[in-house]
Amino acid sequence: MPPDLTATERPRRSQLRPALFFSLPLGLQILSWFFLNILLLGSVAALALFTEFRPVLGALMQGKVGHRLSALAGEVTEALSQTSQPEWNNVLDSFAETYGVQFSLFRSDGAWQAGEIAHPPPSVLAKVRELVPRPPPPHSTIPGLPPGPTSLGNRHFVLHHENLYWIGVHLSPIPDGRRQRGPTILLLASTSPKAGGLLLQFTSWWIAALVLLASALFWIPLVRRITLSLRTMKDAAESMAAGHFETRVSPQGRDELGNLGESLNHLAAQLQDFVSGQKRFLGDIAHELCSPVARMEWSLGILEQQAGAPLQEAVQDVREEVAQMSKLIEELLCFTKAGLHAEIHLEPLDLAPILEQAARQEGIPQHLLQIDLPPESRVFADAHLLKRAVANVLRNAFRYSGGSLPIRIEARSAAQRVVLHILDEGPGVPKEMIHRLCEPFFRPETARTRETGGTGLGLAIVKSCLEACGGS
């Protein structure tokens, strides 16, 4: 029977060590974390704005965005080739209405041909002149867009200038009668980095989801520490309520949570001292009462020999009262001894002999006792305490089943422990009283007479004996 270990008695790898931040009041920690979250999101937004979305655009331009721009270039080329040059403005206007961006056509030398923007900024016009097909160098790769205007080889470019996103796309030669026109550049201008879905296809919902996800990840450390501390202290409080006053909470900073943990530790220490002192006090009283009770029994023996017949009944009543008192003192001594864990010797024991000795000690007939044990059932316990605990339960079972109903003992192994069941067919205990059965001096019957028997210490002794052996 190894001892029960509560969650708070096992080391937690995830416990956080106290830091300077955790010395602040909890409200100030939460407020500081909130402002740090706002600062983080603002920094990311500013970084994305001042870097003109180059890393994002660069990565996208190398993938699906490049294919979308190439497909757009093919559509525009086909539409323009089917109309005369005077109608090109109408063709570009229809595309502009579809995508929500401005469309224009330029020759490779920078001369305007058609569209809404006839005079782009000089830097944009310079990029238009540079956008002439050239064979890429051998084994050329584009690990990312360099500082400045983004570009992708010599087929596309993206430039952020004067609060507009400029996109240049090289078009295939447009047929003009019997000849092919020279290189033509399609220039797009957009106020949004989405550019009608040609560049970024993120919607406001996606952006909101990313912001919420980033905020959640940022808040996880603080929330996890708070919930972990509260869970640890809840487990500790439940363990203390079960009587394990040796439970302690590891320090969790010097804020309100840390102070609460220290208060729990202080409370557990005081309760442990109080309970130990109470048991020691009961033990001392019981020990001091042993001598007077023994002298009373000796004196009653003399009185019984010298008293006449009329007094024999009275002497017998007194002897029964003294015997009851002696039994109470004996149980008090056993209760305090087990509770203080004094003179306990734990060793491997065979369970079957312990059960049989306890049954014989309580005078339970063999035909009423049914024992069902797995082969070689062994426990790690103190033989005297374990036998005392089993005997007390068997005594209750025999007494309240009327001394004529069968009593069954079963043992099952579970997770390196042995679970022992003692079952009788007596009237049972009201459900609302079960949780109090192991309290010292508690009895479901309000009358404490020799007829009903018991002092209310039997199951309290059982609990103390099993806990002293590391069981429950």
Side-chain angles (χ1 to χ4, degrees), residues 295-304 315 318-319 322:
R295 289 195 294 269
M296 290 173 64
E297 290 179 336
W298 181 76
S299 300
L300 280 172
I302 297 176
L303 182 61
E304 187 177 11
V315 172
V318 174
R319 178 178 289 279
V322 172

Side-chain angles (χ1 to χ4, degrees), residues 188-463:
L188 288 72
S190 173
T191 57
S192 168
K194 295 168 60 176
L198 293 173
L199 294 181
L200 299 178
Q201 293 188 332
F202 292 106
T203 64
S204 56
W205 294 106
W206 278 102
I207 295 175
L210 289 175
V211 170
L212 289 176
L213 178 61
S215 298
L217 293 176
F218 183 79
W219 278 90
I220 281 178
L222 180 62
V223 174
R224 184 172 179 271
R225 173 187 174 266
I226 294 175
T227 55
L228 178 62
S229 299
L230 293 177
R231 190 182 306 115
T232 301
M233 286 183 280
K234 178 188 77 69
D235 294 341
E238 291 178 352
S239 179
M240 295 174 193
H244 302 288
F245 302 120
E246 70 280 359
T247 303
R248 295 294 182 270
V249 179
S250 300
Q252 296 288 321
R254 287 180 288 177
D255 53 7
E256 290 86 346
L257 293 175
N259 294 336
L260 179 58
E262 292 179 358
S263 299
L264 279 176
N265 290 340
H266 183 62
L267 174 63
Q270 285 191 323
L271 288 174
Q272 188 174 23
D273 292 342
F274 173 75
V275 172
S276 298
Q278 184 187 50
K279 290 182 178 180
R280 192 174 293 108
F281 175 71
L282 286 175
D284 292 342
I285 290 180
H287 183 73
E288 293 298 326
L289 288 174
C290 285
S291 296
V293 169
R295 289 195 294 269
M296 290 173 64
E297 290 179 336
W298 181 76
S299 300
L300 280 172
I302 297 176
L303 182 61
E304 187 177 11
Q305 294 176 359
Q306 298 180 358
L311 296 177
Q312 288 297 324
E313 185 177 355
V315 172
Q316 188 62 31
D317 288 341
V318 174
R319 178 178 289 279
E320 291 179 1
E321 295 293 342
V322 172
Q324 186 79 1
M325 187 183 304
S326 177
K327 180 181 177 182
L328 174 61
I329 293 173
E330 180 187 358
E331 291 190 345
L332 278 175
L333 286 173
C334 184
F335 173 68
T336 55
K337 177 183 177 181
L340 295 174
H341 296 182
E343 301 178 7
I344 295 176
H345 178 60
L346 301 180
E347 59 182 342
L349 300 171
D350 289 328
L351 191 56
I354 298 290
L355 300 179
E356 294 171 358
Q357 292 172 14
R360 285 197 302 269
Q361 176 180 316
E362 298 302 322
I364 300 177
Q366 288 292 327
H367 69 277
L368 295 180
L369 194 62
Q370 303 173 7
I371 300 179
D372 179 15
L373 301 179
E376 299 182 358
S377 296
R378 294 174 64 83
V379 295
F380 193 72
D382 181 281
H384 174 71
L385 294 179
L386 180 58
K387 185 172 69 173
R388 183 62 183 265
V390 173
N392 280 15
V393 178
L394 287 176
R395 184 190 312 144
N396 279 6
F398 186 61
R399 175 188 299 158
Y400 290 103
S401 61
S404 59
L405 297 177
I407 299 173
R408 190 167 66 257
I409 303 177
E410 299 175 353
R412 296 290 181 267
S413 298
Q416 297 183 344
R417 299 179 67 84
V418 174
V419 181
L420 187 65
H421 297 269
I422 300 179
L423 305 99
D424 64 71
E425 299 181 11
V429 178
K431 186 177 180 180
E432 62 272 11
M433 295 184 179
I434 291 179
H435 69 284
R436 299 191 59 193
L437 283 181
C438 292
E439 292 182 7
F441 302 106
F442 173 79
R443 294 187 60 201
E445 304 93 342
T446 55
R448 296 177 182 271
T449 64
R450 290 195 298 269
E451 287 74 17
T452 58
T455 60
L457 281 174
L459 293 181
I461 292 174
V462 172
K463 182 174 183 292

Side-chain angles (χ1 to χ4, degrees), residues 8-233:
T8 53
E9 294 167 347
R10 291 189 292 262
R12 292 180 180 268
R13 297 180 181 178
S14 56
Q15 285 181 342
L16 304 177
R17 295 181 179 179
L20 180 61
F21 177 77
F22 297 140
S23 300
L24 300 174
L26 190 59
L28 188 57
Q29 290 182 37
I30 296 175
L31 191 62
S32 302
W33 213 261
F34 171 76
F35 283 114
L36 285 175
N37 185 23
I38 297 297
L39 180 62
L40 175 64
L41 294 178
S43 301
V44 172
L47 181 65
L49 179 64
F50 287 110
T51 56
E52 303 169 3
F53 295 91
R54 291 172 191 142
V56 177
L57 291 180
L60 294 175
M61 285 286 290
Q62 297 180 54
K64 295 182 179 180
V65 173
H67 295 299
R68 288 198 291 268
L69 293 180
S70 298
L72 175 65
E75 294 177 11
V76 173
T77 300
E78 182 179 359
L80 294 177
S81 63
Q82 295 175 359
T83 59
S84 59
Q85 185 171 0
E87 300 294 328
W88 284 1
N89 282 331
N90 295 332
V91 174
L92 296 179
D93 288 343
S94 65
F95 277 99
E97 184 177 355
T98 301
Y99 288 94
V101 298
Q102 296 176 306
F103 279 69
S104 297
L105 283 179
F106 287 84
R107 288 201 298 265
S108 59
D109 59 0
W112 175 79
Q113 289 185 292
E116 301 180 57
I117 305 173
H119 303 288
S123 58
V124 177
L125 202 57
K127 294 297 298 180
V128 169
R129 295 191 183 99
E130 296 175 4
L131 200 60
V132 179
R134 294 184 298 272
H139 308 293
S140 63
T141 59
I142 304 174
L145 295 177
T150 60
S151 61
L152 187 78
N154 53 9
R155 302 294 297 177
H156 317 90
F157 74 81
V158 178
L159 177 66
H160 184 240
H161 184 74
E162 295 183 357
N163 297 325
L164 290 176
Y165 292 88
W166 300 87
I167 306 171
V169 185
H170 182 271
L171 300 183
S172 300
I174 302 174
D176 184 11
R178 296 180 178 178
R179 63 188 182 87
Q180 301 275 351
R181 290 183 176 273
T184 304
I185 308 301
L186 176 64
L187 184 65
L188 288 72
S190 173
T191 57
S192 168
K194 295 168 60 176
L198 293 173
L199 294 181
L200 299 178
Q201 293 188 332
F202 292 106
T203 64
S204 56
W205 294 106
W206 278 102
I207 295 175
L210 289 175
V211 170
L212 289 176
L213 178 61
S215 298
L217 293 176
F218 183 79
W219 278 90
I220 281 178
L222 180 62
V223 174
R224 184 172 179 271
R225 173 187 174 266
I226 294 175
T227 55
L228 178 62
S229 299
L230 293 177
R231 190 182 306 115
T232 301
M233 286 183 280

